[in-house]
Amino acid sequence: MKELEEYILKYGKVLGTDILKVDSFLNQQIDIDLLDKMATAWYEAFKNQGVTKVLTIEASGIALGTMVAYKFQVPLLFAKKSKTINMSDNLYTAKVFSFTHHDTNTIAVDKNYLKASDKVLIIDDFLANGQAVMGLMTLVSSANAKLAGVGIAIEKGFQKAGDLLRARGINVMSLAIIDQMNPATKEIVFR
Ligand code: 5GP
């Protein structure tokens, strides 16, 4: 998606060898017009798939997922990263190693909100090594629900999870795919 690539080039910051910081428009402050265009792009891509639920992971997936769910007029469901006192024990869970925090979380959704009759569109901000998306896919398959596809804002193509998921026949639609990020020159090359 041209606009997202332009935002990445204009405002994104390359940290180290493999982290892109996009706090000014996606991860802390959120550009509403861009968010709307991104959600529309995913809607157009998946509108004929019979999506009944959008699934994401807290925290940064929630804003994206909300706008996408609004386009589809279906509920947004987000997996929680830590068990809170008011959560039931009636949970689907999966272990996810966090790329940015370097720790393992058990993600969970209440079984009441994910059913075998659901067709799920997974949405997340980044795809790196695929841990978050695969954890969400585990929740979907635990519920015997169907997967419509995966919508990602920024895929770091050099980390290969997107290619692996596509090779498994999963419909992954990334709005920007970065194939190279040069830590020295800060240059970003899109696929
Ligand atoms: P994965 O699970 O695919 O390895 O990593 C994806 C998750 O880690 C995303 O939910 C995102 O929050 C975070 N993440 C991975 N790479 C980056 C990055 O380069 N920048 C930011 N801001 N978050 C990232």
Side-chain angles (χ1 to χ4, degrees), residues 18-20 27 60 99-100 124-132 156:
D18 57 6
I19 296 271
L20 179 70
N27 279 154
S60 48
F99 183 81
T100 41
D124 204 8
D125 57 348
F126 275 90
L127 183 60
N129 294 321
Q131 287 278 312
K156 288 180 292 177

Side-chain angles (χ1 to χ4, degrees), residues 6-87:
E6 284 166 6
Y7 267 72
I8 292 169
L9 291 177
K10 199 163 171 194
Y11 304 115
K13 294 200 166 46
V14 178
L15 299 186
T17 54
D18 57 6
I19 296 271
L20 179 70
K21 213 166 143 57
V22 288
D23 284 18
S24 63
F25 64 92
L26 194 64
N27 279 154
Q28 185 170 10
Q29 173 170 263
I30 297 173
D31 187 297
I32 292 300
D33 287 334
L34 180 67
L35 184 60
D36 185 41
K37 285 180 184 142
M38 289 164 61
T40 300
W42 285 313
Y43 177 74
E44 288 301 323
F46 293 104
K47 68 182 176 192
N48 298 322
Q49 301 292 318
V51 172
T52 64
K53 204 152 279 186
V54 172
L55 176 66
T56 189
I57 184 166
E58 66 178 0
S60 48
I62 296 176
L64 286 176
T66 302
M67 189 69 107
V68 179
Y70 179 75
K71 301 278 175 197
F72 282 92
Q73 290 292 297
V74 300
L76 168 73
L77 178 63
F78 64 91
K80 300 216 174 199
K81 277 186 185 159
S82 56
K83 197 169 184 303
T84 52
I85 195 147
N86 56 355
M87 267 178 105

Side-chain angles (χ1 to χ4, degrees), residues 82-102:
S82 56
K83 197 169 184 303
T84 52
I85 195 147
N86 56 355
M87 267 178 105
S88 77
D89 289 324
N90 193 31
L91 303 171
Y92 294 118
T93 62
K95 290 229 182 302
V96 169
F97 179 77
S98 166
F99 183 81
T100 41
H101 297 278
H102 294 273

